[in-house]
Amino acid sequence: MTNIENRIFSWHSIPQSSRIILITSMIVIIFITPNFAEGYYESSWSLIDSDSQNNYNAAIIDENGDAWVFGDDGEIIFGEKMGEWIQFDSPTNEDLKAAYANQELIVAAGNNGSVIYKQYSSENWIEIKMDNLIDAHSVSINSNNEIFIVSDNGEIWCFKQQNWIKIESLVSEDLNDIVFEGERGLISGSSGLILGSEDNGETWEIRETPEEVSDSNIISIGFYGINRGYAITSDGQILKSTQEALTTTVGYYWYLKEIESENMSTTLGINLTSIEVLSTTKILLSGENGYIALSKDGGNIVDPQLLPIEGNFTINDIAMKTAFIGIIVGDNGTILYTENGGQDNALGFEIMDLSDFSEFVDFTKDNLLEGLKATMKIVIFGILLGFFLGIVLAMCKTAPTTLKQMIEGDLERTLILFWLIIPVTIIGSRIHGMGFGVVLFLGIGILISILNYYINKNKIENEGFLGISISNNHRTMMIRLLGLTLLLGVPFTEEWGIKGGIVCVYSALSDFYAFHLGSNTFKLSAQVAYIFAPIGNPDAFFRMIFGIGLTYLGVLFFTSNGSFEKKKISYGRPILVLLLWLVILTEILVDFDITGKHSSTFLGIFGWRVFLIFIGLLLTKRILPGGLSSITKGTDNKIIIEPWKIRPLQTIATLYTDFFRNTPLLVQFMFIHFGLQLGKHIQNIGVDITSDLFTISSYLGPLDNLISPMIDYVKESLFGPGKRSYLSAIFALGLNSAAYQCETIRGAIAAIPSGQMEAGRSIGLTYMGTMRLIILPQAIRICIPPLGNEMVNLVLNSSLASVIAYTELTRQGKLVVAITFQIFWTWGMVMIAYFVVTWSLALLLRRLEEKTRIPGLGISGGN
Amino acid sequence: MDEIVLDIENLEKTYPGGVHAVKGISFDVKKGESIAIIGSSGSGKSTVLRCINRLIEPTKGNIKLNNQIINNPLADVNEIRSKIGMVFQSFELFSHLKVLDNITLGLRHVRGMSKDEAEESALEVLARVDMLDRIDAFPGNLSGGQKQRVAIARALAMHPEVILFDEPTSALDPELIGSVLQTIRSLADEGMTMVIVTHEINFARDVADRIIYMDKGLIAEQGPSSIIENPNSDRLKEFLSSMDEENDN
């Protein structure tokens, strides 16, 4: 190893405590660093200097594009073309609260019955004071130039032919806002009230609003054309109305908006004051504490805007000339002006120029970094899952336990289990239910184990389980009976019967056959479609696998002679040759409908087969050297199989790795995500677990306040909405990688001399202990380079997660291309991002390899 | 001295391939006694040794350690092995661990000692095999003789009832054999119970209290170390003379 002093920087020369602090603080910094896009925007609202600290309550922009702002103490500010701002003489000293303008009139209303109006032709404001001193909350003008004001306790007043007339509203709620569009009018009020009129405000009727707003104060309402209406409550809810049918107009039915940008909550959590509908989908909202927000999609995503001033002032009204140009007014003499709908300006450029590389990078880097983060997440979890599963599989594959050892070691126990415990359990569970059966099984099992321990503890010789040594004859008989049971089951009645291996296989096969996937001949090639049968009936497939296992054991037991040796099949080879001929000749010769007259009967088919085998014999005699005599005589023809040598754990692990290594990863991704919906299932389980955790946490008293948010965080970040493809991606990557890592690790384990295991066992470690402490540490060191390969592969393979809509790097690249059409730059940047990640991983692994290298072991270059 | 530590009765082993390696042998080992098993290759010496700590399961017969049957399926094989030390022909040190850790591994994970206790114990046995100066070395950087001494220390550290040596010097260069034999000899002098399978006839004669000569899976002759000078059976005579020839060459 290189001397520490020779290094430019040595990690180990830093004290351990400092190292921990360093790493922790780095992680903390990474996590708390805000999204650095934030500082790059500035408000597009510019402050108008009004020389006043008065509260402005209402604003309106007239037909000429001039702005009028009304405030406390009757103050009127006039903004010519919103450029020149001057104070205007006011005929009233009352606070003005609302304003409205149409083609002829500009009108404002306020406290104590004060209503003023001005005609475009006239220079002066005229006061039309109401006799009863009510406080106007809102004012509007209908298509007959009649002025309407609304006030508390359901009062609606109309200024008609120079007289104030009270209009019957039939409600007693406080009314907050009135708006007219032609002859149609809408009024909003407290307790979720919305009134509508179709006849220029002559009569008003109650419109349907959602249950959820019945306690809320609908503070402002507005509509656009005939097909969209919006309203807001002072609690921050947004209501939306659309045209229900061609014959009706907007405003009859109101829906509470689920706001996507607030995690589908129905409230913004802001006390809103005013709404301005700019188009069918574009709305501006204002509220307390300087809140102004724009939604371009009808309230799905509400985007709060920056303001050039800070403070706790309330924005009281919005007045827009077009969808882009307009003003907002608020407390303390605030008037703000915008020319692009208040949308925050990205600093440094006015219009994005995506053909400029620096601006392109600026625009896309957030997307790509987001994608990189998402990639890292699935990669890290995928590597962990793959590695640990890989080790487990590798250990299964190298486990030395053969079927023979398993059976032989516990033969007496197995026999007693089958001939005593299982029947008792089954009878018990049929009589008293499943639970009783399980308890009986465990009870008898434990009782017998304890008995056995005491009986055999002080015996000098092992005299068999429970001291019962069964004579060889009887033992063989019992084993054979056991085999028969496994094969056939217990053929009692439906209720008491147990299915044996053959029955399972047969029923599974007949389930498959019910699909009728083959055509009508018994040619093998015609049955090809049956390879898809497992997907058609997974249940039958698993039954078949289970049945094959049982049949295998059953045949072994049934034919056992008590010695568990290898088996010889006499004439095995000739039988195989003839079967092969049968298949070949069937393929060549048979080409007719099996239901045809020659072969409709069993004998017909049987006859055909005998005939084909006969031809096979002749052909064999002709073709094979030595001919018929050599395949029917002599010891060479025996096939020797060693069925007891099977290692069950290895078999299971091999099935797993074979499956995952012989199917494409892309297909696995789609099968796992869309086919199995694994992500959905895990998410559901996860949510169940977290809700259980919440229950537990609620017993913890004051600690609950600490733990609940943590559970909530985990729940949100792992199982929250939109995490399905995330979970699926982790599992697809991890399960696939495990199959490959398993083989790598197995190779490394095989490379460790067997003496190491013996040495470990000889000092008294268990098999697993030796594995853990001696074999695996050496094996993992050997396989770091190939494992590194595997992990790099995993990072690169993670790009396939884009097909299941997981927004990792590649998918973000696709999205960016879709927006910007800059193909070369985008994919180049994606490639660089992958390279950086993978290369750092490779460097890390190289370093790890160097760190963990054992001096004097293996040819590794260097010292 | 008369207490019997290890008692082997009628031991037989047939390998799965059908090789009948050990055909029924019986002998016992008394406390403090060192026994050398000699014999030509394939005579079943190593099989006997491996049967004793059940690295190989015997086909028939009994093995008793301190009067307890140990080849009973119910016996705790790991505990038994921890009482029987084993030194291998090819050392089998744990190459990813330093010398000290090689020795403390068993103490910590089998005996359940704390790290400090285990290290104290390990230093003690390393002193006995004269390896104190290399405790921080990795096995890969040790010479063969040093490796074997560490392996002996590893077996010793567990305070076994008996140590089995499986041809401890066969893999060593002639000039390195001396130090290992010296170490084993000093253990014998300290009264350690040992069973040594060896090809070093002279060493066997020096160290062993008793010599067992095995031939074709059976004990052909056994007796005090003097049987090397005065062999009774023709087989042993033949074997000794062949060994002499080999040494002369």
Side-chain angles (χ1 to χ4, degrees), chain A residues 167-307:
Chain A
I167 306 235
E168 203 50 59
S169 70
L170 304 173
V171 293
S172 59
E173 279 88 355
D174 298 345
L175 304 180
N176 295 321
D177 199 8
I178 179 166
V179 60
F180 273 102
E181 176 122 350
E183 297 190 343
R184 286 177 296 121
L186 286 172
I187 293 176
S188 73
S190 59
S191 308
L193 177 77
I194 291 179
L195 298 172
S197 169
E198 297 288 324
D199 53 3
N200 257 333
E202 292 288 329
T203 56
W204 295 87
E205 68 199 15
I206 297 176
R207 298 284 166 85
E208 204 171 302
T209 54
E211 190 69 18
E212 291 90 336
V213 297
S214 58
D215 289 334
S216 303
N217 200 8
I218 302 180
I219 199 83
S220 183
I221 194 164
F223 56 114
Y224 189 86
I226 57 162
N227 52 16
R228 283 292 190 289
Y230 293 95
I232 49 166
T233 69
S234 55
D235 304 337
Q237 290 151 320
I238 301 175
L239 291 158
K240 182 177 177 184
S241 174
T242 52
Q243 190 180 10
E244 284 295 303
L246 283 174
T247 50
T248 64
T249 52
V250 70
Y252 278 89
Y253 301 101
W254 293 84
Y255 305 99
L256 193 57
K257 194 78 203 164
E258 285 183 349
I259 302 160
E260 212 175 298
S261 54
E262 301 287 320
N263 284 330
M264 308 310 281
S265 158
T266 54
T267 172
L268 289 166
I270 304 275
N271 294 338
L272 295 176
T273 54
S274 179
I275 185 169
E276 182 86 7
V277 182
L278 305 176
S279 75
T280 49
T281 57
K282 206 168 170 184
I283 51 174
L284 257 177
L285 308 168
S286 69
E288 290 179 4
N289 296 329
Y291 181 82
I292 176 91
L294 177 72
S295 176
K296 291 182 196 169
D297 51 5
N300 273 329
I301 291 167
V302 178
D303 203 4
Q305 298 173 346
L306 298 172
L307 285 180

Side-chain angles (χ1 to χ4, degrees), chain A residues 345-366:
Chain A
N345 285 331
L347 200 65
F349 49 89
E350 297 285 294
I351 303 159
M352 200 162 308
D353 180 10
L354 291 176
S355 59
D356 181 292
F357 186 64
S358 63
E359 289 179 18
F360 173 77
V361 171
D362 239 16
F363 179 66
T364 56
K365 67 171 188 263
D366 287 346

Side-chain angles (χ1 to χ4, degrees), chain A residues 404 409 413 452-453 456-457 459-462 565-566 645 753-767 772-775 777-778 781 853-857, chain B residues 16-17 50 53 55 62 64 69 71-74 77-79 81-82 84-86 88 90-97 102 105-106 109-110 138-141 154-155 158:
Chain A
K404 182 183 174 182
R413 214 175 298 182
N452 175 47
Y453 179 74
N456 275 350
K457 193 171 74 168
K459 288 273 170 65
I460 291 175
E461 290 214 23
N462 182 21
E565 290 300 316
K566 52 192 159 197
K645 275 280 175 68
S754 62
Q756 292 280 311
M757 178 53 87
E758 288 186 344
R761 300 304 305 268
S762 78
I763 58 169
L765 289 170
T766 58
Y767 177 81
R772 185 169 61 87
L773 293 166
I774 295 160
I775 307 295
Q778 297 184 51
R781 279 178 171 86
R853 194 167 60 213
I854 309 153
L857 187 74
Chain B
R50 276 152 194 267
N53 73 350
L55 285 176
N62 281 332
K64 291 183 194 168
I69 299 241
N71 59 333
N72 177 337
L74 285 172
V77 67
N78 298 317
E79 197 196 325
R81 283 185 184 141
S82 75
I84 303 175
M86 176 105 181
F88 296 85
S90 48
F91 330 124
E92 301 302 349
L93 292 182
F94 308 135
S95 50
H96 62 301
L97 296 176
N102 257 284
L105 184 87
H109 293 99
V110 180
F138 279 98
N141 291 346
R154 183 175 68 186
M158 302 294 287

Side-chain angles (χ1 to χ4, degrees), chain A residues 642-810:
Chain A
E642 296 193 58
W644 293 104
K645 275 280 175 68
I646 264 201
R647 296 182 288 158
L649 289 176
Q650 192 240 16
T651 309
I652 292 165
T654 307
L655 284 176
Y656 176 91
T657 49
D658 281 359
F659 179 77
F660 275 94
R661 294 203 307 168
N662 294 309
T663 46
L665 181 56
L666 184 66
V667 178
Q668 286 168 18
F669 260 109
M670 296 204 260
F671 183 68
I672 284 176
H673 184 65
F674 299 117
L676 295 179
Q677 304 207 328
L678 192 66
K680 184 179 159 194
H681 295 308
I682 295 169
Q683 193 179 41
N684 290 346
I685 295 169
V687 169
D688 284 350
I689 292 169
T690 46
S691 58
D692 289 347
L693 287 177
F694 275 123
T695 319
I696 295 167
S697 161
S698 66
Y699 294 122
L700 294 177
L703 271 182
D704 187 31
N705 290 335
L706 186 71
I707 290 170
S708 276
M710 294 196 316
I711 301 171
D712 224 11
Y713 178 76
V714 171
K715 184 180 169 182
E716 275 300 306
S717 56
L718 284 183
F719 309 112
K723 298 290 181 197
R724 278 181 196 174
S725 53
Y726 169 62
L727 291 168
S728 293
I730 288 174
F731 274 82
L733 277 178
L735 294 179
N736 179 275
S737 182
Y740 288 91
Q741 294 195 27
C742 155
E743 293 298 309
T744 310
I745 297 168
R746 186 175 69 96
I749 290 177
I752 306 292
S754 62
Q756 292 280 311
M757 178 53 87
E758 288 186 344
R761 300 304 305 268
S762 78
I763 58 169
L765 289 170
T766 58
Y767 177 81
M768 286 305 289
T770 317
M771 246 337 185
R772 185 169 61 87
L773 293 166
I774 295 160
I775 307 295
L776 281 180
Q778 297 184 51
I780 300 290
R781 279 178 171 86
I782 293 178
C783 65
I784 284 175
L787 273 190
N789 246 345
E790 199 41 60
M791 284 170 190
V792 166
N793 257 338
L794 191 141
V795 178
L796 302 181
N797 286 341
S798 74
S799 67
L800 293 178
S802 60
V803 299
I804 58 167
Y806 182 64
T807 48
E808 45 70 64
L809 197 48
T810 308

